Amino acid sequence: MGEQQYEIDLGNLMAFDPHHHFPSLPSSRTQQRFLIAYLKLLVKQLFLEATYCMGKVYSNHSLKIFREELVKECLQKGTKLVQAVADALFNLPSSEDRDGPIVTLPPPTTRLPREKPLPKKTPPTKWELFAKKKGIVQRKKDKLVYDEQTGTWKRRHGYDRVNDDKDVPIIEAKLTDEPGEDPFAKRRAEKKQRVEKQEKHRLQNLKQAAKVGALPSHIQLAATALPITGTQAAPRKASKNELANVAGMAATSTASGGKFDKKLAGEKPPKHEGKYRKYLPVVEGSGMGSLEKQQTEKVLSKLISKNSHEMLNVEKAVNMYNVKKDKKRRNQQGKSSSSTFGKLKPQKKPYKKTSSKVSPYKGKSK
Amino acid sequence: MRPLDESETTQVFEKLFKFTGNNLKNIVDNPSHEGPEPDPGRYCFRMQKNRVYYVSESLVKRATNVKRDNLVSLGTQIGKFTKGGKFHLTIQCLNLLAANAKHKVWLKPTSEMSFLYGNHVLKGGLGRITENIVPQDGVVVFSMADVPLGFGIAAKSTQDCRKMDPNGIVVLHQADIGEYLRTEDDL
């Protein structure tokens, strides 16, 4: 193989061989589909991920062999390309770091195709349809608005806003007003209603979008009950029994244990009433089961390890030493009381080093 | 009858560990000789009405045929759980403890009777004592003929025992075989 120049894109860690041609499929059969074979070599962190997708379907023997050879060839070419990428990487100027040399990769030069499909357009909402029909154009609003009353520029939304409902000092009574009504409270209630209505519409719009499968992505991620666009996974629906059990549990999780709540028709009592403790089975298999064995093992090992420090016989060493010292002192006292003055002095024995069976690091388990 | 859960097992093992130390392993992993099956299993702990029993597996299997209300006792009782959730060892586990005891005390014949009446062991009654006893250790009390008499908690270490006056308490009484006669109804 001659030295071929590969196109190396270090920004994507990619290498491309423009001169390589894959052999075409042996065209022998009549009902052969159009073969699409393209090799996508994306070298990520110097691991080879060779994926190729072929659009053919027929399992012919010759096709099988062809495919195997294709795979082999792909791997061979791939190794060469990976080598080229590695060479290029190590040729970059590197800076030394604690963990090794660090290189900064140059910006990528090739534009890679999209990984995921384009997001779908949301269906137009009811307001959008209405606006289009009527020809209403959305205009951009300013953040600051001139307030006539105070003569200053106030913001449109937020703290100290322009037409705040709270700032109205006097509301003049109309002929249609009833005497007992509080107009301020009425205004607040109306505002609340408007907000609720808006929220309802917003949710309806989202539902419409979800039906088509075009939810905005941040809501898609938040709604874990819904499948991510593109996957085929169906949402797991809780069965009727499951829901009934959960409802029963929820009903008893009030302050008084659900005793004084009105029970709806068909509501099941909770499955485990009172303090629910799950015990190991009495007899598993024949006698002790594996669960119980595990439990006892765990407890035993914990206990033994906790007290393993007591196995060190430092105490014993100290005690033995003390006993020896006491004995020696007693002997010496005895000797001194009956010591003979004068010529015959008892030979003071040099300090005898007894073979100490004691070492502080010998762990003895009795 | 039910097996012990984890906290209960810890309590039981801790109490036993005080007396047996690492021989606890021998107790827990003991291969049993009971039962007609060719492959005898091990011993396990079961709880019936707040009493903990040390039973072999074959016995447990057969005991499941007895109704819970009618089951009085099975295997060897080793202790009771009190109403407050604490575990106390009872005298029936003496054989088990004596076989695996770490610290032993032998009594003089003159003070055997005193201990069997429920009194503590004084230094004057002490015949022999194993080394390395730490205060608060579990101690099994034997007679001079190596007959287990009961068990208790060491009040003093071996060293201090030597220096004590003869009327000092060496072992605090916990259980003795005289209880079989004295508190026959409670057992």
Side-chain angles (χ1 to χ4, degrees):
Chain A
M1 286 289 154
E3 281 299 315
Q4 293 155 344
Q5 257 317 335
Y6 303 136
E7 288 176 14
I8 298 180
D9 176 13
L10 278 175
N12 286 329
L13 284 176
M14 246 175 61
F16 172 56
D17 180 9
H19 302 295
H20 180 75
H21 299 289
F22 279 100
S24 56
L25 189 66
S27 54
S28 53
R29 310 300 288 177
T30 47
Q31 285 172 318
Q32 204 166 359
R33 285 266 188 93
F34 185 61
L35 169 71
I36 310 166
Y38 69 88
L39 192 77
K40 184 165 92 176
L41 276 182
L42 262 181
V43 180
K44 294 178 186 179
Q45 296 166 3
L46 296 186
F47 287 127
L48 177 62
E49 272 183 12
T51 63
Y52 62 93
C53 91
M54 305 225 262
K56 65 176 176 66
V57 169
Y58 296 96
S59 59
N60 197 355
H61 187 61
S62 67
L63 288 178
K64 203 171 174 184
I65 295 179
F66 174 74
R67 177 190 270 185
E68 284 173 5
E69 287 178 357
L70 190 61
V71 169
K72 241 186 272 175
E73 191 176 346
C74 289
L75 285 175
Q76 279 174 355
K77 286 300 290 180
T79 5
K80 292 205 191 83
L81 290 170
V82 171
Q83 185 62 52
V85 172
D87 291 340
L89 265 183
F90 280 92
N91 283 337
L92 281 181
S94 66
S95 57
E96 277 297 317
D97 193 19
R98 206 163 46 116
D99 304 318
I102 289 191
V103 292
T104 43
L105 297 175
T109 52
T110 40
R111 285 188 67 185
L112 293 171
R114 280 186 79 88
E115 190 186 334
K116 296 221 200 310
L118 273 170
K120 283 199 211 142
K121 279 233 148 182
T122 58
T125 60
K126 277 176 80 176
W127 166 256
E128 281 174 5
L129 290 169
F130 176 76
K132 203 165 175 196
K133 197 171 68 163
K134 285 280 190 152
I136 302 173
V137 171
Q138 238 182 348
R139 275 176 235 277
K140 197 156 164 120
K141 299 187 176 73
D142 294 325
K143 278 209 195 137
L144 293 174
V145 182
Y146 186 70
D147 186 16
E148 296 293 336
Q149 216 179 18
T150 51
T152 54
W153 286 89
K154 286 200 179 163
R155 58 191 80 151
R156 188 185 290 271
H157 309 285
Y159 173 75
D160 194 27
R161 51 178 171 266
V162 169
N163 292 327
D164 202 356
D165 229 13
K166 303 184 289 185
D167 290 343
V168 175
I170 301 171
I171 304 176
E172 293 189 13
K174 290 199 288 236
L175 289 170
T176 48
D177 275 347
E178 288 182 23
E181 241 178 26
D182 177 11
F184 297 100
K186 205 162 104 174
R187 279 195 157 200
R188 264 179 274 139
E190 277 174 7
K191 174 157 176 112
K192 200 154 172 226
Q193 261 191 357
R194 271 179 276 138
V195 169
E196 276 173 14
K197 191 169 124 195
Q198 175 59 30
E199 183 68 17
K200 193 173 79 164
H201 288 321
R202 186 183 77 94
L203 288 176
Q204 273 186 351
N205 287 335
L206 285 177
K207 274 194 220 154
Q208 285 297 320
K211 243 202 306 195
V212 182
L215 263 191
S217 48
H218 59 285
I219 299 179
Q220 182 76 66
L221 286 172
T224 47
L226 300 170
I228 312 267
T229 35
T231 59
Q232 305 293 325
R236 202 181 75 94
K237 283 213 175 90
S239 70
K240 191 166 157 191
N241 284 335
E242 261 182 50
L243 280 175
N245 285 335
V246 171
M249 273 197 276
T252 50
S253 31
T254 56
S256 46
K259 262 203 304 192
F260 303 110
D261 293 337
K262 266 188 278 212
K263 268 214 164 44
L264 297 170
E267 204 178 301
K268 272 198 217 169
K271 206 156 63 156
H272 302 291
E273 277 181 79
K275 196 166 156 192
Y276 177 53
R277 273 181 77 183
K278 203 162 172 222
Y279 293 114
L280 292 172
V282 168
V283 173
E284 207 181 328
S286 71
M288 266 217 290
S290 60
L291 283 172
E292 197 187 330
K293 265 194 207 136
Q294 264 178 12
Q295 188 185 281
T296 45
E297 282 299 319
K298 190 166 111 179
V299 175
L300 198 62
S301 51
K302 213 196 286 187
L303 203 59
I304 290 186
S305 67
K306 198 161 62 155
N307 295 326
S308 62
H309 62 90
E310 289 168 3
M311 252 85 91
L312 287 174
N313 272 330
V314 182
E315 297 273 347
K316 186 166 182 174
V318 171
N319 283 346
M320 276 181 80
Y321 178 75
N322 281 344
V323 163
K324 254 194 211 113
K325 216 165 64 170
D326 282 345
K327 247 188 230 166
K328 193 181 257 177
R329 209 186 305 131
R330 245 180 281 130
N331 281 345
Q332 286 197 344
Q333 278 180 2
K335 275 198 194 135
S336 65
S337 64
S338 63
S339 70
T340 54
F341 286 96
K343 294 175 260 172
L344 285 172
K345 264 211 201 134
Q347 274 273 347
K348 203 162 188 195
K349 289 209 180 95
Y351 191 83
K352 205 159 71 166
K353 245 201 162 180
T354 53
S355 61
S356 49
K357 316 169 219 156
V358 170
S359 90
Y361 299 112
K362 187 158 53 158
K364 260 181 165 196
S365 62
K366 286 177 92 177
Chain B
M1 168 172 61
R2 64 166 174 88
L4 305 171
D5 80 342
E6 203 170 318
S7 58
E8 293 164 353
T9 325
T10 358
Q11 277 189 303
V12 172
F13 282 5
E14 268 176 22
K15 272 276 155 69
L16 287 174
F17 186 82
K18 270 205 196 138
F19 287 87
T20 64
N22 271 354
N23 292 338
L24 188 57
K25 232 178 181 320
N26 293 347
I27 295 184
V28 173
D29 294 343
N30 211 3
S32 90
H33 312 287
E34 305 163 17
E37 286 119 357
D39 175 33
R42 303 197 314 199
Y43 281 93
C44 45
F45 295 91
R46 289 286 181 269
M47 176 132 92
Q48 167 77 359
K49 281 199 178 153
N50 279 342
R51 289 159 199 250
V52 180
Y53 296 97
Y54 178 69
V55 221
S56 72
E57 281 182 11
S58 51
L59 205 58
V60 165
K61 215 168 128 201
R62 285 166 177 76
T64 53
N65 292 328
V66 178
K67 210 165 127 176
R68 220 179 254 195
D69 308 328
N70 295 340
L71 182 64
V72 173
S73 154
L74 67 164
T76 322
Q77 179 182 340
I78 49 173
K80 280 204 246 187
F81 272 97
T82 62
K83 287 254 162 70
K86 296 213 168 44
F87 180 70
H88 289 164
L89 287 169
T90 49
I91 185 57
Q92 291 99 328
C93 69
L94 182 61
N95 270 336
L96 204 60
L97 290 184
N100 301 302
K102 206 163 63 150
H103 303 301
K104 303 185 188 176
V105 155
W106 285 263
L107 288 190
K108 291 190 189 148
T110 42
S111 54
E112 271 174 33
M113 280 309 284
S114 163
F115 181 70
L116 288 180
Y117 272 111
N119 300 320
H120 302 300
V121 175
L122 308 175
K123 182 179 170 210
L126 211 56
R128 260 165 49 197
I129 183 168
T130 47
E131 293 277 346
N132 268 346
I133 294 187
V134 183
Q136 309 305 320
D137 249 354
V139 162
V140 181
V141 176
F142 291 83
S143 80
M144 267 327 197
D146 265 342
V147 173
L149 296 175
F151 53 86
I153 296 282
K156 295 261 164 43
S157 67
T158 320
Q159 265 305 95
D160 295 343
C161 276
R162 296 172 214 264
K163 307 178 189 160
M164 246 176 14
D165 63 316
N167 277 329
I169 296 181
V170 181
V171 175
L172 296 158
H173 167 282
Q174 269 194 342
D176 65 271
I177 48 181
E179 278 179 24
Y180 282 113
L181 293 173
R182 290 200 314 269
T183 53
E184 165 175 4
D185 306 322
D186 288 344
L187 289 178

